[in-house]
Every structure is written in C-alpha cells, then in structure tokens.
C-alpha cells in the first residue's frame, strides 16, 4: 500500500491506492445482494401474457425470498410501450412490485415495434451484479441503437437476460433480443401465448445466484445428427440443467458410466415446448458427461450447474497484481492479460478463449505462475473482434476435474471514458476514521483526484485500473459533505459521488456516572435522561432489562422518555433503572440505583401490637410476681371512665389484661409491673381512613391566585394519599402539573398562580389496607 501523508492540512488525511487486495473488495457493501428484474410490454396484444405474469409473479418473488440459499433480495419492474418506458420501480418488498403490476394499463400498440431495449437498459443500469432480467414481449425492438449499451451493461454486471417472446407482429428480421441474450448466455424463448405460465413455473424453480456456466454453444443451422459434447462435472455441482432453444429439439445425456439418462436414472424434463426444451439432473455424479442435441433449426445450447465454486476474472494490458487493476473487457487491438481468481484449486490445466459463434474455435493461452495458488494469470493474447468466453480447466482440492466458462461472453472494447464506482453513502463517527474506496476501471492510463471538504488539490496517475482510497482520520462534524472521485483518460472524464454522513456517539446530559437514590414509601421521585448526539439519540428506560412501559403503575415516563417518575413509591420499586441513549453510532447508559425504605416510628415500648378495631385483645405480661396492676399511658386502667359504663372494658387476668371491643382511643402504651420492674406494650388499633376536615367541593379562583385542596385524614396504618386530575391520565406530581406543591405528607395540595390549565375536577384518594375514601374538588379559574 502506498500512502501519501498530508503535510499542512487541518487534520490528518491520507490518499492511498491498493496493490494487494482480495477480489471481494471489488464490490461495495451495497452489492452483496442480487436482483430480479421484470421488463414487460404493456401494449394491448399482451393482455393474455399480462394475466399469466400477474398470477405467477408474486409466487416467484416470495419463493426467492424464502430460500435460504438465495442472494436475490432486490426487485425491479420496468413496463414499456411506445413511446413511453416506465416508470421504473425498484424495491426490496414484493408487495410493492405486485401493487405496480396490478395498476398496469394494457393499451395502445398497433405499429408493432416497441421500445423494449430502452426498458432492458433501464433495468440493467439499476440491477446488482449476478442478476436476472426477464423480458416479456410479442414485438420486435424499435430502439435497436441501444443494443451496444445493453451489451456493455450485461458484461459489466455479469447478468443474464431471458426473453419470453410470444409473437413477432411484423415478422421483423431484427435480432436485437437474440444478440442481447446470446452475449449474456441467456435465451430467447419463442413460445405461444398459452405457454407463458409453463415458462414462469420453470423460472420459479430454476433461478439461483449460485449458477455456474458449464457450456454455452450457439449453432447457426439445424442439426439432425448430433456430435457429442463433453461436460466436466465436479463434486460441487448439485444440479445440472441443459436447455436448448430451437425448433423440435431433443436432448440426450450420458453419465460418466456410459448410461443414457432417463426418468429412472433421475433425468427430469422441466419444459418441453415446440421451440424450447429443458432437462435437469439432481446430484449428478462427478466425471465426464456426454451431451447429444438435435434441432430442426438454428439453436443455442446452455448447460449450467448450481455450485458455490466459480471464478472471477479481469483484463489488463500490463501484468496485473490483483483484481483492482483489471477491467471487465479487454482492450481491442492490444495485447491483454487475463487474471482469474478461482478458489479451491490445486492445479490449473488450461486457460482458453472460446469463440461465441464457433464452439470449436478455441485458443489456449500461456499460463503464468503467481504466488497465490488460487490465482491464474493468462496471456498475453490479442483478441479479435468476435465475442468470446473464457474457459478454465483444472483440478480442485478433492482431485476432481472441473471446467467453467464465464457467465457472459466478452467483447473487446475501444478505449472508453473511465468507469468509476464509489459507495453511494457512507457513515462516519466523530473521532473515528472515514474511508471511501473509489474503483476506477480504465483500459488506458488515467489520472484521478478527490473533491470534497479538506481534500488535497492533487491528482494521481495510474497506468491501468486501480482502486483509490480516501482516508480521513479524527473525523469531525465538518466532514459531513459530498465527496467526488473524478478520473480522466484520453477518451473522456467520469466522476462518482459519495454522500458522507458524520454521526456522533450519544451522550447523556446529566453524565453517565451511576447514581444511588434513597426514598421512603409514598414519596415521588423524578429521574431525567436527556441525550445529545448526531443523529438525535432515542431515549429508553429499562428495569432489569425489561422496558419500563411494561413495568407497573408506579412508574411513569413523560416528555418522550426524557423523564421517568417513580410515583407513590413502594418497597417493590427498589431496583436499578437504566436510561439508554441510542443512535447509529452506539449507545450510552446511565444507571439509577433506587432504594425504597419503609417509614418507621421509634417506640420506647418493649413490645408493639397492631390489632383491628371492633375486636378483643389480651395483653400478656411476662413479669414474675406481677402485682396485677396495669397502666394506660401512665394512668391506672381502674381509674379510667369508659364509653359504656354498664359493660366492662378491661378485665385483669392472672398474667395479663383483656380489652373488650377495641376502639381507636385504646391506642396507647400499656404497662404492667411488679415490685422491681415494669414491662410495656404499645397497642396500635388499625382502622379505615376517614376525613377529619370538611372543605367546599366547588371553588372559583382568579388567575394568579393560590388555591388549597385539603384532604386531611386519619387512619391506621397511616393512609397513603393519591391525587389525580380527572381530565388527565397521569397522576398529579410536580412534574406532571405545573406550580403545585404538596403539604402535610400529601394531605394538602396547593396550586400557586393558578391558570386556565388548572381548570377541572380534582380527586384525592386516601387508602390503607382496611378501607378507602375519596373526595372531589371542582376548580373554576376566572
């Protein structure tokens, strides 16, 4: 790697070009999936075809999506008529394609030739490499001048075009579709309109991005006496498919044992029409197979297999060291090298070019040794003007011979303007490193430069295709910009832009240090959690990894998760509450350790008893030699006057005191004694709450004055008091209703500077485990 360091720039910035990279680096992360494109003729004569396509299209797309071994994620639909083409639709959702397909208007036509090649070019421009394009039409092409552009895109994208032609309304001699399918090792299926469904069913079964090309032969005449054709099948081939497009064709296959394949041997006929025949063999045994084909017309033969083992290739006029220094087409009129990357190879036996129009016209190329055992360098060779395939023959690590040819044929090219590929968008993190790769493909020497914030005003020279990398260290938000990679050669200029979005890790305004909070039962507490970052972070709260929104009624979240309120705290609300700020750059957390304690009242008594009202209780005295004297709050029980003088309230027992019909006034400290010591028992009588003060339930208050709602109550255990405003789903706290203050342990609610928002009905709820009482207040602010 050569690196040019910045000298006087504001921040460190590096431009580099790479001389040793894996082929996988040729593709941006945007290209890890493949596409399925449907190109459809919408003229009136296509009505029957349209109905058949609609009935099968969704099934095809959903079948592809559900296959675990398929890389097809992207769908494209291009309708065409004359003169209109489009609008084009691309999506990752099959439902979108079906929606567009259902809205197609089948109309027009009459002059036969349509703008089909324009539609094919539009699809080829947007699909990803290693994809499929299916064209449906019954007319010849009007826009034949675009065939060369289509061929260029097919070679660059290594994608196949299949044409379902259900007629030729003007019996035109135009062969544009045949040329496109021929170069792309696709096919033109001349079928009757009633057979479209059969072909679509085959499409559903046979589409696979792991297909490898084993044979592609085009024979320009009828052949009634077949000559044998050899197929080398290695153990990685899981499915062998042979298709022939021609009139009344026939296919015979002989396995390596010399047995003719039939249904009993595992041969399946997938499609058998007047002009098309396709057969299939699952799990073919490795070895040399023999193929015999006959047809009553000129015909094309395609043999492919499903395998994860294929090869990548590129051309260069000087010996390339890696795939980044190659182009997808050779330079016409010059000596070229071919660099081939083929994994899992122990030995390359031959490297050949095979003429597209003559299968027997092959040229063996010299093989040059490279340090990497899976890399093959062939050449130099001077290509002629005819399209050709590259054919690789060798032995894999399992000792089986394999043969592969390129997925599409290749046409030598004149010098053309550079082709540049950069990622459309990149995200960088503040303080991190930004890297933008610019792949420049050129058959002749070129210069390249970067344009963008703080980029060096400098150009670099290269003799052939290369990859240039812009590296920015210690990124700041200033680098949020559009960066352009621009290249120039003798044939012209080209540029490609990358939109860089700079993001930053989220931070929490209150800091990320953990906090411990101690509360008492019945108290309210608020925790804030405001986040900063780019983009603005999403704020969430969790309690022991459970979202707070699913916790319980004591936990409130308000202000878009910026505040969490513990309302009327209970012992079970003791927990760790986690505030999380999350954006694309990462997350930051802050933990609040909340401890809720019970309210306790110190007692000087030796023992405390809690008994419910309206009952009897016996207080036991543990002292020996008790004098049988009891005191209540220091006064002898014998001297007390009771509410019912006709019935005893106290009864002295041998070792205790019995109290009948407990009442609230019986709550006291009781003392028993002997001559030397005393023993005290604090008795607390439990009763349901009740209000101890009356207040008018309707009040009219001027704006900016103060209002007081009084809900003073008594009860034991000490009751808890909750406040609500009837037009709000949230309880009243100082964070949910402005200008309020609680007094006397929430028994009184004061609103300072009342305003229009305070109009309404208020309710206080007083409860303990023995009962509940409520009071309403209507407030009118004028």
């Amino acid at each position: 790697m050569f690196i040019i360091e910045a000298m006087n720039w504001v921040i460190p910035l590096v431009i580099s070009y790479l001389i040793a990279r894996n082929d996988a680096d040729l593709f941006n992360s945007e290209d890890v999936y493949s596409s399925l494109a449907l190109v459809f003729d919408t003229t009136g004569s296509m009505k029957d075809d349209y109905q058949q396509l609609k009935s099968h299209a969704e099934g095809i797309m959903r079948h592809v999506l559900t296959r675990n071994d398929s890389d097809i994620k992207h769908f494209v639909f291009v309708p065409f008529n004359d003169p209109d083409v489009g609008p084009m639709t691309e999506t990752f959702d099959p439902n979108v394609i079906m929606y567009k397909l259902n809205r197609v208007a089948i109309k027009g036509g009459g002059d036969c030739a349509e703008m089909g090649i324009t539609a094919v070019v539009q699809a080829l421009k947007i699909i990803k490499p290693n994809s499929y394009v299916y064209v449906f039409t019954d007319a010849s092409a009007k826009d034949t001048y675009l065939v060369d552009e289509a061929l260029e895109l097919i070679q660059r994208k290594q994608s196949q075009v299949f044409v379902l032609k259900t007629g030729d309304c003007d019996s035109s001699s135009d062969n544009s579709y045949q040329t496109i399918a021929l170069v792309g090792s696709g096919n033109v299926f001349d079928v009757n309109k009633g057979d479209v469904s059969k072909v679509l069913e085959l499409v559903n079964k046979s589409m696979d991005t792991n297909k490898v090309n084993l044979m592609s032969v085009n024979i320009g005449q009828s052949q009634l006496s077949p000559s044998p054709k050899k197929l080398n099948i290695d153990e990685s081939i899981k499915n062998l498919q042979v298709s022939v497009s021609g009139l009344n064709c026939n296919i015979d296959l002989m396995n390596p044992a010399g047995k003719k394949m039939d249904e009993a041997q595992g041969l399946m006929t997938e499609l058998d029409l007047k002009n098309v025949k396709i057969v299939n063999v699952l799990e073919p045994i490795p070895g040399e197979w023999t193929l015999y084909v006959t047809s009553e017309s000129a015909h094309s033969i395609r043999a492919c297999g499903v395998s994860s083992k294929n090869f990548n290739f590129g051309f260069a006029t000087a010996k390339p060291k890696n795939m980044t220094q190659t182009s997808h087409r050779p330079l016409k009129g010059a000596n070229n090298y071919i660099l081939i990357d083929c994994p899992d190879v122990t030995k390359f036996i031959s490297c050949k070019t095979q003429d597209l129009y003559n299968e027997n016209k092959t040229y063996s190329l010299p093989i040059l040794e490279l340090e990497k055992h899976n890399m093959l360098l062939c050449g130099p060779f001077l290509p002629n003007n005819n399209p050709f395939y590259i054919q690789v023959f060798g032995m894999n690590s399992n000792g089986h011979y394999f043969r592969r040819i390129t997925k599409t044929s290749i046409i030598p090219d004149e010098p053309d303007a550079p082709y540049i590929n950069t990622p459309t968008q990149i995200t960088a993190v503040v303080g991190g490193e930004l890297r933008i790769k610019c792949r420049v493909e050129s058959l002749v020497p070129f210069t390249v430069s970067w344009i963008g914030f703080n980029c060096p005003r400098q150009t670099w020279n290269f003799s052939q295709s290369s990859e240039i990398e812009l590296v920015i260290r210690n990124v700041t938000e200033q680098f949020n910009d559009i960066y352009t990679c621009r290249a120039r050669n003798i044939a012209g200029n080209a540029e490609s832009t990358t939109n860089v979005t700079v993001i930053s890790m989220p931070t929490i305004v209150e800091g990320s240090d953990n906090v411990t909070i101690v509360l008492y039962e019945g108290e309210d507490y608020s925790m804030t959690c405001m986040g900063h970052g780019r983009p603005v972070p999403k704020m969430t709260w969790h309690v022991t990894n459970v979202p707070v929104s699913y916790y319980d009624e004591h936990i409130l979240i308000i202000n878009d998760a910026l505040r969490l309120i513990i309302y009327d705290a209970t012992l079970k609300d003791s927990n760790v509450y986690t505030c999380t700020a999350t954006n694309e750059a990462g997350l930051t957390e802050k933990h609040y350790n909340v401890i809720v304690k019970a309210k306790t009242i110190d007692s000087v008594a030796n023992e405390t008893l809690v008994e419910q009202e309206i009952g009897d209780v016996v207080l036991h005295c543990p002292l020996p030699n008790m004098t049988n004297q009891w005191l209540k709050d220091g006064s002898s029980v014998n001297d007390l006057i009771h509410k019912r003088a006709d019935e005893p309230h106290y009864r002295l027992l041998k070792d205790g005191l019995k109290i009948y019909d407990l009442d609230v006034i019986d709550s006291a400290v009781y003392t028993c004694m002997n001559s030397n010591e005393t023993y005290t028992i604090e008795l607390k009588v439990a009763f349901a709450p009740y209000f101890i003060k009356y207040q008018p339930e309707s009040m009219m208050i001027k704006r900016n004055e103060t209002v007081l709602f009084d809900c003073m109550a008594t009860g034991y255990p000490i009751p808890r008091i909750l406040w609500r405003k009837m037009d709000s789903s949230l309880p009243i706290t100082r964070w949910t209703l402005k200008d309020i203050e609680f007094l006397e342990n929430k028994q009184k609610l004061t609103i300072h500077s009342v305003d229009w928002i305070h109009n309404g009905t208020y309710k206080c709820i007083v409860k303990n485990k023995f009962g509940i009482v409520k009071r309403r207040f209507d407030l009118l602010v004028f």
Side-chain angles (χ1 to χ4, degrees):
M1 177 184 293
F2 291 90
I3 300 178
I4 298 93
E5 292 284 358
M7 303 298 290
N8 299 311
W9 300 334
V10 178
I11 54 136
L13 182 146
V14 176
I15 302 288
S16 64
Y17 69 89
L18 311 183
I19 63 171
R21 302 192 61 86
N22 295 325
D23 181 66
D25 291 330
L26 280 173
F27 301 106
N28 298 316
S29 60
E30 303 162 352
D31 296 327
V32 297
Y33 52 84
S34 298
S35 310
L36 166 61
L38 303 176
V39 178
F40 192 79
D41 182 347
T42 62
T43 53
S45 58
M46 291 292 291
K47 184 176 181 180
D48 291 341
D49 308 63
Y50 170 65
Q51 295 300 331
Q52 294 178 78
L53 176 61
K54 277 206 308 181
S55 65
H56 287 82
E58 185 172 16
I60 291 172
M61 290 181 285
R62 296 213 176 276
H63 176 72
V64 167
L65 282 179
T66 55
R67 284 183 53 174
N68 294 328
D69 59 348
S70 175
D71 292 325
I72 298 175
K73 313 291 184 187
H74 181 232
F75 302 98
V76 176
F77 176 55
V78 188
F80 69 93
N81 204 295
D82 184 15
D84 299 322
V85 175
M88 179 177 59
T89 302
E90 63 165 328
T91 181
F92 294 92
D93 184 358
N95 293 319
V96 175
I97 297 294
M98 292 308 302
Y99 173 77
K100 294 292 184 180
L101 196 57
N102 285 322
R103 291 176 63 87
V104 164
I106 304 297
K107 61 182 181 179
D111 60 348
C112 193
E114 314 296 350
M115 303 292 285
I117 308 301
T118 302
V120 170
V121 168
Q122 284 193 13
L124 287 168
K125 283 181 177 179
I126 202 167
I127 63 172
K128 296 302 180 180
N130 194 30
S131 295
Y132 293 90
V133 179
Y134 285 87
V135 183
F136 302 82
T137 185
D138 64 355
S140 56
K142 176 180 288 188
D143 44 0
T144 56
Y145 59 91
L146 290 174
V147 168
D148 286 343
E149 184 177 357
L151 296 180
E152 157 64 18
L153 290 166
I154 287 171
Q155 293 171 85
R156 180 175 297 284
K157 297 291 183 76
Q158 287 291 289
S159 295
Q160 293 177 291
V161 178
F162 297 87
V163 182
L164 276 70
K165 207 155 184 288
T166 58
D168 193 351
C169 56
D170 62 355
S171 300
S172 172
S173 59
D174 172 63
N175 61 354
S176 298
Y177 289 123
Q178 285 79 0
T179 301
I180 288 173
L182 191 66
V183 170
S185 295
N187 236 322
V188 176
F189 296 127
D190 289 307
V191 298
N192 296 324
K193 288 187 176 291
D195 291 330
V196 172
S197 288
K198 296 178 182 178
V199 179
L200 288 172
E201 289 174 6
L202 177 67
V203 170
N204 200 5
K205 298 177 185 176
S206 61
M207 197 161 25
D208 199 309
T209 52
N210 286 328
K211 273 189 177 177
V212 295
N213 213 354
L214 305 175
M215 176 182 291
S216 188
V217 177
N218 302 283
I219 300 173
Q221 60 190 18
S222 63
Q223 194 169 46
L224 302 180
S225 299
S227 59
K229 303 181 186 307
K230 301 298 182 182
L231 288 172
N232 289 99
I233 304 299
D234 59 88
E235 85 292 342
S236 73
I237 302 295
K238 303 304 179 188
N239 185 0
L240 170 62
Q241 185 183 85
V242 179
S243 64
V244 179
S245 179
L247 181 62
N248 295 326
C249 48
N250 184 66
I251 302 172
D252 287 325
L253 265 175
M254 305 285 287
N255 68 19
K259 291 184 178 180
K260 181 180 177 180
M261 299 296 292
D262 54 23
E263 289 187 10
Q265 297 288 333
L267 181 73
M268 295 179 289
T269 301
E270 300 285 1
L271 192 65
D272 192 358
L273 304 176
K274 183 178 180 180
N275 293 298
V276 183
K277 186 166 185 177
I278 299 176
V279 299
N280 193 61
V281 179
L282 295 177
E283 302 292 342
I285 59 175
E288 187 176 75
W289 289 61
T290 307
L291 172 64
Y292 299 91
V293 173
T294 63
S295 175
E296 296 177 8
S297 68
H299 54 286
S300 61
I301 304 171
R302 305 284 184 260
C304 60
V306 175
S307 172
S308 59
K309 296 179 180 179
N310 205 358
F311 70 95
N312 295 309
F313 66 94
F315 299 92
T317 54
K319 291 181 181 179
K321 297 180 180 179
N322 57 78
M323 284 292 178
T324 62
Q325 295 180 341
T326 66
S327 298
H328 72 290
R329 296 171 70 177
L331 180 61
K332 183 186 292 187
N335 280 322
N336 288 262
Y337 292 89
I338 307 175
L339 182 63
I340 292 171
D341 182 3
C342 191
D344 192 37
V345 174
T346 57
K347 182 181 179 181
F348 288 105
I349 298 174
S350 69
C351 173
K352 297 181 180 181
T353 61
Q354 173 195 321
D355 193 281
L356 172 65
Y357 301 110
N358 187 346
E359 62 170 316
N360 297 317
K361 193 175 181 180
T362 61
Y363 300 92
S364 294
L365 305 183
I367 294 179
L368 305 177
E369 292 187 4
L370 292 176
E371 293 181 1
K372 294 184 177 180
H373 70 277
N374 64 310
M375 301 289 286
L376 173 67
L377 184 61
C378 309
F381 76 106
L382 182 66
N384 58 34
N385 293 334
N386 286 346
F388 64 90
Y389 295 99
I390 301 172
Q391 184 187 107
V392 178
F393 184 54
M395 182 180 290
N396 62 27
S397 58
N398 291 328
H400 290 107
Y401 290 104
F402 71 94
R403 191 185 304 273
R404 298 284 191 273
I405 66 172
T406 47
K407 180 168 289 188
T408 66
S409 59
I410 299 130
I411 304 173
D413 197 12
E414 300 281 359
D416 197 3
Y419 178 82
I420 304 180
N421 187 16
T422 61
T424 305
Q425 295 185 348
I426 281 184
T427 300
V429 180
V430 170
E433 189 174 74
L434 167 64
R435 290 178 176 267
I436 311 176
K437 296 175 185 176
C438 176
R439 163 100 166 110
V440 181
E441 188 177 317
S442 176
L443 294 168
V444 292
F446 66 94
T447 60
V448 66
S449 60
W450 280 98
I451 300 170
F453 177 76
N454 213 31
C455 285
R457 295 182 178 179
Q458 186 175 350
T459 60
W460 288 268
N461 301 312
F462 297 92
S463 61
Q464 59 187 10
S465 300
S466 293
E467 186 174 85
I468 321 301
E469 187 174 48
L470 173 67
V471 181
I472 300 174
R473 300 191 176 105
N474 298 321
V475 172
T476 67
E477 291 188 0
Q478 291 177 300
F479 288 90
N480 199 82
D481 199 4
I482 295 177
Y483 293 80
T484 302
C485 180
R486 183 173 292 171
R488 175 197 297 268
N489 65 14
I490 60 172
N493 305 321
E495 64 181 36
S496 181
T497 60
T498 299
N499 188 3
V500 173
T501 302
V502 178
I503 62 177
S504 61
M505 282 285 293
T507 58
I508 295 176
V509 175
E510 295 79 14
S512 57
D513 295 335
N514 296 339
V515 176
T516 297
I517 301 104
V518 178
L519 303 177
Y520 287 96
E521 285 183 293
E523 289 185 340
D524 301 337
Y525 187 78
S526 166
M527 295 169 271
T528 57
C529 190
M530 296 182 62
H532 282 175
R534 184 174 182 175
V536 176
K538 178 182 178 181
M539 312 305 296
T540 56
W541 288 91
H542 288 76
V543 180
T544 58
N545 297 322
V546 176
V548 171
S549 56
Y550 301 108
Y551 198 55
D552 68 29
E553 63 181 359
H554 290 278
I555 310 301
L556 312 174
I557 296 179
I558 62 173
N559 300 341
D560 295 327
L562 299 183
R563 186 182 297 276
L564 180 143
I565 300 171
I566 298 179
Y567 172 68
D568 189 34
T570 64
L571 296 178
K572 70 174 184 177
D573 295 325
S574 295
N575 223 318
V576 176
Y577 297 78
T578 302
C579 161
T580 304
T582 309
N583 66 11
E584 296 172 23
L587 62 85
T588 301
E589 292 183 341
K590 180 173 183 176
H591 304 286
Y592 292 84
N593 182 25
V594 176
I595 301 170
V596 181
K597 293 185 175 182
K599 289 184 178 179
T600 57
I601 300 176
D602 293 335
S603 175
V604 296
N606 299 111
E607 180 183 347
T608 300
L609 288 177
V610 177
E611 297 290 338
Q612 191 171 358
E613 191 179 23
I614 311 176
D616 301 339
V617 66
V618 175
L619 307 181
H620 295 281
C621 183
L623 300 179
N625 303 316
M626 189 185 72
T627 59
N628 213 21
Q629 182 177 357
W630 284 86
L631 305 177
K632 176 186 177 183
D633 288 336
S635 299
S636 173
V637 297
N638 295 324
D639 298 333
L640 298 178
I641 300 174
H642 309 296
K643 62 182 179 179
R644 293 190 61 180
D646 59 332
E647 293 184 6
H649 191 63
Y650 299 113
R651 180 183 176 187
L652 298 176
L653 305 177
K654 181 178 181 181
D655 59 350
L657 173 69
K658 184 172 184 177
I659 305 175
Y660 295 92
D661 296 328
L662 283 176
D663 197 291
V664 174
I665 61 174
D666 292 316
S667 294
V669 175
Y670 292 84
T671 305
C672 65
M673 62 187 68
N674 61 20
S675 57
N676 297 319
E677 55 185 333
T678 61
Y679 184 83
T680 56
I681 301 171
E682 184 175 14
L683 175 63
K684 295 182 177 181
V685 179
F687 59 97
Y690 60 87
F691 294 112
I692 58 177
K693 186 176 181 181
Y694 170 77
Q695 181 181 7
E697 294 185 350
S698 295
M699 288 174 276
M700 297 179 63
I701 303 292
K702 290 183 179 180
R703 286 184 67 197
N704 298 319
E705 291 191 353
T706 298
V707 64
L708 173 68
F709 300 131
D710 190 333
C711 269
M712 295 289 288
T714 186
Y716 195 83
I718 296 173
R720 305 172 77 146
I721 301 182
L722 312 177
W723 289 88
R724 288 194 175 272
K725 193 169 184 286
M726 299 303 291
D727 58 0
S728 173
S729 60
L730 300 176
I732 296 176
T733 70
R734 62 188 180 92
W735 304 284
T736 55
L737 186 64
K738 72 172 188 176
D739 299 326
I740 68 109
E741 179 184 8
F742 288 121
L743 303 172
E744 303 287 344
N745 291 324
K746 291 188 179 180
Q747 294 185 96
K748 296 179 180 180
L749 170 64
T750 300
I751 305 178
H752 303 281
S753 302
V754 295
D755 206 340
W756 308 123
I757 65 167
H758 297 113
N759 269 310
T761 299
Y762 294 77
K763 180 169 67 173
C764 68
I765 304 167
V766 184
K767 62 181 179 179
N768 63 17
K769 65 180 181 179
F770 296 108
I772 181 171
V773 291
K774 302 176 182 179
R775 178 172 285 175
R776 293 166 55 104
F777 303 94
D778 292 318
L779 176 63
L780 176 62
V781 180
F782 65 94

